[in-house]
Amino acid sequence: MTITQPDLSVFETLESEVRSYCRGWPTVFDRARGSRMYDEDGHEYLDFFAGAGSLNYGHNNPVLKRALIDYLERDGVTHGLDMSTSAKRAFLQTFQDLVLRPRDLPYKVMFPGPTGTNAVESALKLARKVKGREAIVSFTNAFHGMSLGSLAVTGNAFKRAGAGIPLVHGTPMPFDNYFDGTVPDFLWFERLLEDQGSGLNKPAAVIVESVQGEGGINVARPEWLRALAELCERQDMLLIVDDIQMGCGRTGAFFSFEEAGITPDIVTVSKSISGYGLPMSLCLFKPELDVWEPGEHNGTFRGNNPAFVTATAALETYWADGSAMEKQTRARGEQVEQGLIAICEENLADVKEYRGRGLVWGLEFHDKDRAGRVAQRAFELGLLVETSGPESEVLKLLPALTITPDELDEGLRILARAVTETA
């Protein structure tokens, strides 16, 4: 059988060297449905990446696609700045009825711009405006986006170096279990806050991910998150939860912080809020924090009405009964965990540990280069997986929430083979 090589010439000669995902998956993708992607030559790939978490309901979800096509065919408004539109109203009402009210969350909704880093920038800006302070505390191995404010609270040295200027007003603190349980939680943080000689300016806010995705699938314990919320309240700091990758049901509940029983002051949401991979983000905050002047935080693409349409359809389809969706995600997560346990038992000398929650899992190897080799071999075998962690040492599994048990088993079998064949 003759295997034709994909024509990648225009990407290699014209597109910037900054491109990344296409280097790990050197083919030309042409179409996708559910948890499957197909390249131009018809090769099939099982997707365990789901658009970095922006496709929680799979590629071209038929219910969402139908809603989008109907809206476009009736000449619904596509671009509307932040004008009031029927599509925005439908989303806001549905989000309030199906997400906020059932969880007794009081939040106002801000549309800051279409990407996750837009949401983070607006959250940081609002916190500083409310508190009148500049400093923001983040955590080791955090990732919050690639614009300058977000990079200042991101841990990854490689990504920070790309800024080209000093990244200021951000201070990192140890994430949960950073010292392997040998140091009491927040001992260092609270000591600095209370010591007038510490050099730590009083922070306006603390920003945290309940599960660090890009940082290596580091899972914060509910009790750690509760203690952090209490610390913020004691010390008059706002708590920002970055739920961009872990929200919209990724860990089970709609918001990843629900399990901890906390109510953050500010929450950032993006990735799968549109449900269809269309750019959209939200900044949610308690009403008393809504001190913006009209137009004080602006943006041409805040009103992505096609994204409002698919977001509304996703909420109505999957979150009218959120408990059923959560139960399904947890069941699929247990299936992944069992598959990873089997891989660990087969490769005891190679695997350092597995960890995760819901449908986000990581597999860490003793050899830091191994995760990249496993991902490459998995691609050759028809499975799309990525790596994460400060040295790309963790294999990251992020399948769609709608993936079937059979598809999960298929992917886990391919993954087990890729691990074995890269030993």
Side-chain angles (χ1 to χ4, degrees):
M1 184 179 74
T2 302
I3 299 176
T4 58
Q5 294 299 313
D7 181 7
L8 302 172
S9 57
V10 71
F11 308 108
E12 293 167 351
T13 59
L14 188 59
E15 191 180 359
S16 166
E17 293 298 321
V18 80
R19 65 191 188 280
S20 60
Y21 292 119
C22 56
R23 297 178 188 272
W25 302 327
T27 191
V28 181
F29 293 102
D30 182 55
R31 59 189 179 89
R33 176 71 179 267
S35 289
R36 309 273 179 182
M37 296 189 75
Y38 304 87
D39 67 16
E40 286 183 317
D41 296 320
H43 298 126
E44 181 182 288
Y45 300 86
L46 187 56
D47 187 1
F48 266 33
F49 189 54
S54 63
L55 294 165
N56 280 4
Y57 315 110
H59 293 269
N60 285 303
N61 183 290
V63 178
L64 279 54
K65 180 167 66 175
R66 185 72 262 159
L68 178 59
I69 289 171
D70 290 347
Y71 182 77
L72 295 175
E73 285 189 336
R74 72 166 184 82
D75 290 333
V77 174
T78 298
H79 183 269
L81 296 167
D82 74 341
M83 291 184 284
S84 300
T85 64
S86 56
K88 186 199 280 187
R89 179 174 59 199
F91 168 74
L92 284 169
Q93 290 177 338
T94 306
F95 189 68
Q96 184 176 51
D97 292 345
L98 298 184
V99 177
L100 297 181
R101 279 183 178 153
R103 293 161 180 79
D104 198 26
L105 294 172
Y107 298 134
K108 297 286 289 288
V109 180
M110 175 183 177
F111 300 105
T115 73
T117 200
N118 293 143
V120 170
E121 294 285 358
S122 66
L124 302 180
K125 192 171 169 180
L126 180 62
R128 287 169 170 140
K129 181 177 172 68
V130 168
K131 291 299 183 185
R133 308 179 205 132
E134 296 175 350
I136 305 286
V137 164
S138 58
F139 290 94
T140 49
N141 291 312
F143 179 80
H144 296 291
M146 297 298 282
S147 50
L148 292 179
S150 302
L151 275 179
V153 290
T154 286
N156 187 288
F158 173 72
K159 291 180 171 64
R160 288 174 63 89
I165 62 170
L167 296 170
V168 296
H169 309 308
T171 303
M173 290 291 165
F175 191 70
D176 189 13
N177 204 37
Y178 190 71
F179 294 110
D180 301 320
T182 59
V183 176
D185 295 336
F186 308 115
L187 175 69
W188 169 245
F189 188 3
E190 195 147 29
R191 186 74 56 85
L192 290 178
L193 288 169
E194 293 174 350
D195 181 358
Q196 296 300 305
S198 71
L200 174 64
N201 294 333
K202 181 82 169 183
V206 175
I207 185 167
V208 69
E209 304 152 273
S210 68
V211 180
Q212 295 182 328
E214 293 301 308
I217 319 301
N218 307 310
V219 183
R221 294 165 296 141
E223 55 268 32
W224 186 86
L225 291 170
R226 285 193 290 272
L228 176 61
E230 291 163 5
L231 173 62
C232 287
E233 189 169 359
R234 277 200 311 277
Q235 297 286 349
D236 186 34
M237 303 178 296
L238 297 178
L239 176 60
I240 305 169
V241 170
D242 180 341
D243 231 9
I244 287 165
Q245 189 165 81
M246 299 303 155
C248 303
R250 175 56 57 182
T251 65
F254 188 88
F255 294 109
S256 69
F257 56 80
E258 291 181 50
E259 183 183 1
I262 62 173
T263 303
D265 298 293
I266 304 175
V267 183
T268 59
V269 181
S270 187
K271 296 283 190 187
S272 273
I273 188 60
S274 83
Y276 202 71
L278 299 176
M280 179 178 172
S281 76
L282 311 174
C283 185
L284 312 175
F285 39 81
K286 292 178 177 177
E288 62 269 24
L289 304 181
D290 195 7
V291 298
W292 293 114
E293 297 290 335
E296 191 175 7
H297 191 85
N298 221 328
T300 304
F301 295 103
R302 289 169 293 159
N304 189 357
N305 284 267
F308 295 152
V309 171
T310 55
T312 303
L315 293 176
E316 290 174 342
T317 303
Y318 296 101
W319 296 98
D321 182 1
S323 61
M325 190 67 199
E326 183 174 346
K327 183 179 179 182
Q328 176 180 299
T329 298
R330 293 191 188 283
R332 301 281 195 275
E334 289 169 8
Q335 185 180 346
V336 174
E337 184 173 16
Q338 291 306 309
L340 294 181
I341 288 172
I343 290 172
C344 291
E345 288 174 349
E346 284 288 314
N347 301 270
L348 279 175
D350 300 328
V351 178
K352 184 176 179 181
E353 86 175 313
Y354 73 91
R355 50 187 181 264
R357 260 181 68 193
L359 271 174
V360 51
W361 291 86
L363 191 63
E364 184 175 0
F365 298 90
H366 292 291
D367 176 0
K368 293 185 185 298
D369 296 328
R370 182 72 175 280
R373 299 202 302 273
V374 173
Q376 181 182 356
R377 182 59 184 143
F379 170 76
E380 294 166 356
L381 296 171
L383 178 70
L384 303 180
V385 287
E386 251 296 339
T387 61
S388 69
E391 298 177 75
S392 299
E393 73 277 19
V394 179
L395 201 70
K396 180 180 186 181
L397 309 185
L398 212 66
L401 308 185
T402 53
I403 195 167
T404 66
D406 287 346
E407 287 171 329
L408 270 184
D409 278 341
E410 179 187 344
L412 290 166
R413 283 196 302 271
I414 295 172
L415 183 63
R417 180 179 167 189
V419 171
T420 300
E421 292 182 0
T422 54

